[in-house]
Amino acid sequence: MQQSVFDHMQQMGHEQLVFCHDPHSGLNAIIAIHNTTLGPALGGTRLWNYNTHEEGIIDALRLSRGMTYKAAISGLNLGGGKAVIIGDASKIKSEALWRRYGKFVNSLNGKYITAEDVNTSAPDMEYIAMETSHVTGVPEYMGGSGDPSPFTALGVYMGMKAAAKKAWGNDGLAGKKVLVQGVGHVGQYLVGHLVAEGAKVMVTDINKDKIKQTKDKFHNVEVVDGDTLFDLEMDIYAPCALGATVNTESIAKMKCPVIAGAANNQLADENVHGPMLIEKGIIYVPDFLINAGGLINVAAELEEYNRERVTGNVEKIYGRTLEILELSDREKIHAQAAAMKIAQKRLNDIANVNARL
Ligand code: NAD
């Protein structure tokens, strides 16, 4: 890392970074709290085998910042936080690791509330919940709402339809060629919505089991090679795996008029690739806007949970997407910048409210 951790925190506006280590269970975790203007920092815990600890720190910093803007644009009274646990998901998961991690979360007294993310699931949250109440996404039988992925997928589907309306004048996806990259938790639910509407769905995943699961559920989907996916003709590219897939190299090849997917941090560099997408005439639905369904769902666990109300709130992503795409057009700024502008305005407004009696 060329810059110090504090340089990164200052540039991105972070409040706090917590390092958690437990040699007994093999836990190495980083909890990043970006901004608590709107409320406690809520964000999932990602388990990933980073090549270096520095990579884990940068990921925690970027992801937690995204959560601040995601909550802000979704009208939630929550701040932005995220945690990463460094390790191989197939080897390090244990009751001891989750419970020790739960104690670290608890030591923050509710300033950070955790949830699921890549490689973590409801049963893991169950162990965390043995040590802290500051956890969401716990199984239904424990009073939680279970897996948030169906709501994330619903929100992505809504945002995708809004982008289709902007691109083609109507939001119907029947007959549209949609490529879903990553058919994990969210990707598979998204494929379900798309198949139900009659879209021509192509899928790719580095995990053969996930491809098989998807093919078993939805016989008509076409499996494509991930290495050459940007050579394919498609109407919509839906990144649902990891971030930074929208970069200089991929944009040069892209033939799709719309990008709308669940992954966090889709643009490798928003200041470079946001404008590049406008130049190429590609409609991009900002990631933190379109993938907020899961957050909207877990946030509801903090109040009296009501599935119908959550569904209605997630469906509002449709209108919000149209609004942001219109603002992007009107002010000639890229869509990510337009969404950031609206989110930042809400943060400033509420900071002003909080500063007064
Ligand atoms: P997941 O781990 O269940 O699924 C991700 C899938 O992507 C896996 O099947 C994996 O094998 C595949 N994958 C990884 N690298 C790939 C590559 N290079 N090419 C093709 N496939 C690849 O995760 P998820 O919960 O479905 O989340 C997907 C994305 O959406 C992540 O970026 C996550 O941060 C984001 N997201 C998820 C939620 C949620 O509710 N789960 C909410 C908001 C954002």
Side-chain angles (χ1 to χ4, degrees), residues 21-304:
H21 176 61
D22 178 50
H24 184 83
S25 61
L27 174 74
N28 284 312
I30 302 157
I31 301 172
I33 296 173
H34 178 252
N35 186 304
T36 54
T37 300
L38 298 175
L42 194 152
T45 298
R46 176 168 295 195
L47 173 48
W48 195 254
N49 211 359
Y50 295 97
N51 290 322
T52 62
H53 290 172
E54 284 76 11
E55 267 183 30
I57 294 170
I58 295 294
D59 213 24
L61 290 173
R62 288 190 70 186
L63 291 165
S64 57
R65 176 174 172 265
M67 294 306 292
T68 296
Y69 292 107
K70 193 185 298 197
I73 204 154
S74 305
L76 301 170
N77 288 321
L78 289 170
K82 198 90 176 186
V84 301
I85 295 179
I86 300 171
D88 182 339
S90 65
K91 295 190 183 132
I92 72 159
K93 284 192 182 194
S94 70
E95 176 184 355
L97 179 131
W98 293 121
R99 292 185 64 171
R100 190 70 190 96
Y101 175 64
K103 276 194 187 283
F104 280 115
V105 171
N106 202 48
S107 71
L108 294 168
N109 293 318
K111 191 171 178 186
Y112 169 66
I113 303 169
T114 198
E116 296 171 38
D117 196 67
V118 176
N119 283 329
T120 56
S121 55
D124 305 328
M125 297 303 117
E126 205 175 322
Y127 282 131
I128 294 173
M130 290 177 189
E131 306 298 340
T132 183
S133 59
H134 306 302
V135 54
T136 56
V138 290
E140 276 152 290
Y141 66 84
M142 288 182 74
S145 61
D147 178 11
S149 308
F151 288 102
T152 305
L154 174 65
V156 172
Y157 175 58
M158 287 291 132
M160 190 182 280
K161 284 178 78 65
K165 186 164 174 59
K166 182 86 183 139
W168 298 292
N170 79 73
D171 65 15
L173 296 177
K176 292 278 183 278
K177 273 190 170 180
V178 186
L179 187 140
V180 180
Q181 180 187 34
V183 277
H185 285 95
V186 180
Q188 286 192 30
Y189 286 110
L190 177 62
V191 170
H193 289 294
L194 296 170
V195 167
E197 200 181 325
K200 291 182 186 158
V201 181
M202 298 180 277
V203 297
T204 181
D205 198 295
I206 50 170
N207 182 334
K208 290 194 172 61
D209 293 340
K210 296 288 174 189
I211 290 288
K212 185 175 177 317
Q213 270 174 21
T214 312
K215 278 295 278 178
D216 287 349
K217 276 193 226 162
F218 312 103
H219 306 294
N220 288 337
V221 299
E222 182 189 346
V223 179
V224 298
D225 181 358
D227 292 336
T228 52
L229 70 95
F230 294 114
D231 297 329
L232 300 169
E233 295 285 342
M234 66 188 88
D235 297 304
I236 301 171
Y237 165 51
C240 296
L242 295 179
T245 60
V246 181
N247 51 48
T248 306
E249 205 187 327
S250 63
I251 294 172
K253 290 186 175 175
M254 275 180 199
K255 301 172 186 74
C256 55
V258 171
I259 302 173
N264 282 309
N265 299 328
Q266 291 171 31
L267 304 182
D269 181 336
E270 59 198 42
N271 296 322
V272 175
H273 302 112
M276 219 178 249
L277 289 172
I278 293 202
E279 263 171 49
K280 207 160 168 183
I282 296 176
I283 294 174
Y284 167 70
V285 185
D287 43 16
F288 65 91
L289 162 68
I290 195 170
N291 71 13
L295 178 64
I296 293 168
N297 179 60
V298 292
E301 276 186 30
L302 304 173
E303 302 158 359
E304 202 167 325

